[in-house]
Amino acid sequence: MIMKRQEFLKQSALTTAGTMMIPSFLKAYELGQMNVDPTGSKILVVVQLSGGNDGLNTVVPFRNDIYYRERPTLAIAREKVLALNDEIGFNPALEPLKALYDDGLVKVINNVGYPNPDRSHFRSMDIWQTASSSDQYLNTGWLGRYLDATCSGPGGCAQHRAIEVDDTLSLSMKGNMVNGLALLNPQKLYNQTRDGMIKALADHSYPETHSNAGYLYKTLAETVSSAAYVYDKSAKSVHRTIGVYPTHELGRRLKTVSELIQSDTRTRVYYVSISGFDTHINQMGQQERLLRQYAEAVKAFMDDMKSANRQNDVLVMTFSEFGRRVKQNASNGTDHGTANNVILVGGGLSGTRSDRVYDQAPDLQNLDMGDLKFTIDFRSIYATLLEDWLATDDVAILGKKFPKLSLL
């Protein structure tokens, strides 16, 4: 049986009478049914460095002669490295990040990876975004499953619980029952949902029993409602960013994150990315430019959080799908590798300054066919963030127990 347009409108109440009405199947927060978090709840901001960032030229083992031997033209000169301890230091392009490190707001985690690593961009990114094993294929992301786990109560919750500042939603933010919300600009998404999408939905008919159609109805209705909520909160907010953000893409996106946090949208997870790290050719200039953009944007963002008194509530996790090989290639670049570093930035990190580097420097004498060996499974980082930061059941989301780390 085909559902007629009038029947759909009657059942969903997706009509306009000055405002958007809420479908009966929508887990509506506007109706006061959602268990919202109080002001001050912990927020996770994930920054993805797409393309496979070269970790050895990001966190530089400046005391290691093998590093300089294997990278005769790409190695960062010892005198330029911003030392973190006696063995490793930041690329000089990360000077703004070093300032945060000196303030006790940065932790570097070395040798992060997973067993049987995959050197394909797409497959390795899938593994990181789904938190799967290398031989396991999942269609939900670790943050999407976080949404599923935290939205299963009577009130449920909505897409704006997790926001990706992009025009498409990554796999990491897709759950079985709930997806995150992708937007570049709250007003633009709001206008789009009011202009065309509702009319297109209302003009089409689908079988009542068609599960895919039902899913699309539900997803679109939730998107409309979430877009209206986020736009309303951001438009009414008196909070605006105080610091000066760089005008490049990552700077703009972290500025949007800051505005949404200060608008009190009750979002627990934000996701942003910066691309261009696949540096097979002439790596030096390209990577330094991108690392500088990253460091400038994160510094402006954390300064903003400090001004808003949210520094201790916000944690930034930065990762890339894999590192690069130890030996440079013939094109003054580096090829796909394995283990890499993960960087945490925020006011809730544990330990003293001497603890800001987690795990030893990469062992360049003990390689796996020219690649770094991992010693920390990236899912241990996820488990720690899920349980200790987002206060949820890490085992339920990751599917098994991973050792927690002393990070927070």
Side-chain angles (χ1 to χ4, degrees):
M1 174 176 158
I2 302 298
M3 180 184 288
K4 295 180 180 180
R5 183 172 70 92
Q6 292 88 346
E7 292 173 333
F8 172 76
L9 292 175
K10 181 180 178 181
Q11 290 187 25
S12 68
L14 192 60
T15 57
T16 56
T19 59
M20 291 291 180
M21 304 302 290
I22 307 302
S24 59
F25 56 75
L26 179 59
K27 299 170 184 174
Y29 42 80
E30 285 89 341
L31 299 179
Q33 297 174 1
M34 187 182 91
N35 296 321
V36 297
D37 300 302
T39 301
S41 291
K42 302 302 185 184
I43 294 171
L44 176 65
V45 180
V46 179
V47 178
Q48 173 182 303
L49 308 183
S50 301
N53 178 46
D54 179 18
L56 285 177
N57 271 25
T58 301
V59 181
V60 184
F62 65 93
R63 292 290 186 189
N64 197 312
D65 292 336
I66 299 175
Y67 166 73
Y68 290 96
R69 185 191 72 201
E70 297 297 315
R71 299 185 170 203
T73 62
L74 280 187
I76 307 299
R78 285 188 176 92
E79 63 272 15
K80 293 183 178 180
V81 175
L82 306 175
L84 304 180
N85 57 29
D86 292 339
E87 296 185 48
I88 62 174
F90 280 147
N91 185 302
L94 294 174
E95 185 174 0
L97 194 68
K98 177 60 161 56
L100 294 174
Y101 180 90
D102 291 341
D103 288 340
L105 300 176
V106 176
K107 180 164 287 192
V108 176
I109 310 171
N110 290 316
N111 309 306
V112 182
Y114 55 89
N116 303 311
D118 196 300
R119 292 168 181 80
S120 160
H121 290 294
F122 303 105
R123 179 60 190 142
S124 190
M125 187 60 79
D126 277 357
I127 290 168
W128 274 84
Q129 291 192 348
T130 63
S132 70
S133 300
S134 59
D135 60 350
Q136 183 183 23
Y137 292 81
L138 302 177
N139 56 13
T140 59
W142 72 287
L143 295 171
R145 297 195 299 276
Y146 159 74
L147 289 177
D148 286 341
T150 55
C151 295
S152 58
C157 64
Q159 288 175 314
H160 74 263
R161 181 98 170 189
I163 292 178
E164 183 160 359
V165 184
D166 206 330
D167 52 8
T168 58
L169 193 68
S170 66
L171 178 57
S172 61
M173 300 280 272
K174 296 179 181 179
N176 277 313
M177 299 177 295
V178 184
N179 292 335
L181 180 69
L183 62 82
L184 280 173
N185 179 284
Q187 182 174 2
K188 182 179 179 181
L189 179 63
Y190 174 69
N191 291 340
Q192 288 173 336
T193 58
R194 291 182 66 86
D195 285 346
M197 295 175 70
I198 300 304
K199 185 177 185 302
L201 176 60
D203 287 344
H204 284 75
S205 299
Y206 298 93
E208 279 185 315
T209 58
H210 198 300
S211 60
N212 288 338
Y215 174 79
L216 290 174
Y217 280 122
K218 179 178 181 293
T219 300
L220 182 55
E222 288 178 341
T223 300
V224 169
S225 195
S226 286
Y229 172 86
V230 172
Y231 171 66
D232 182 64
K233 296 291 285 187
S234 61
K236 290 181 179 178
S237 175
V238 298
H239 299 288
R240 288 295 179 264
T241 56
I242 297 174
V244 177
Y245 282 77
T247 58
H248 49 66
E249 185 175 273
L250 185 61
R252 293 193 301 270
R253 294 188 179 191
L254 284 180
K255 182 179 181 182
T256 297
V257 172
S258 176
E259 290 172 345
L260 292 172
I261 289 173
Q262 296 184 66
S263 297
D264 193 24
T265 58
R266 307 297 186 180
T267 303
R268 296 297 306 276
V269 177
Y270 293 91
Y271 202 100
V272 298
S273 61
I274 176 174
S275 60
F277 287 92
D278 194 17
T279 51
H280 291 280
I281 301 173
N282 297 326
Q283 172 179 300
M284 187 72 78
Q286 172 80 348
Q287 190 198 27
E288 286 188 1
R289 177 179 65 83
L290 292 171
L291 290 179
R292 185 171 293 106
Q293 289 182 6
Y294 162 75
E296 291 170 347
V298 171
K299 179 66 162 62
F301 175 74
M302 290 308 302
D303 287 349
D304 228 2
M305 292 299 96
K306 183 177 182 180
S307 297
N309 198 30
R310 299 303 302 272
Q311 180 175 269
N312 292 335
D313 299 328
V314 177
L315 183 67
V316 179
M317 183 197 77
T318 304
F319 81 98
S320 195
E321 67 263 36
F322 47 62
R324 316 296 289 192
R325 295 182 70 81
V326 174
K327 186 178 181 65
Q328 72 176 69
N329 62 28
S331 301
N332 283 319
T334 52
D335 298 324
H336 299 178
T338 53
N340 208 345
N341 37 61
V342 167
I343 297 175
L344 301 180
V345 185
L349 300 173
S350 66
T352 63
R353 179 172 174 174
S354 62
D355 302 318
R356 295 304 185 210
V357 176
Y358 195 95
D359 206 27
Q360 62 187 358
D363 186 351
L364 303 188
Q365 289 185 310
N366 183 21
L367 302 179
D368 179 13
M369 299 178 62
D371 284 325
L372 298 174
K373 292 182 178 180
F374 87 98
T375 56
I376 295 176
D377 194 306
F378 74 97
R379 290 164 293 186
S380 283
I381 299 175
Y382 289 0
T384 304
L385 297 181
L386 287 166
E387 184 172 335
D388 293 349
W389 193 254
L390 295 176
T392 192
D393 185 348
D394 57 297
V395 177
I397 293 167
L398 300 178
K400 60 182 290 189
K401 187 67 177 177
F402 291 92
K404 284 175 53 182
L405 310 177
S406 300
L407 302 175
L408 306 170

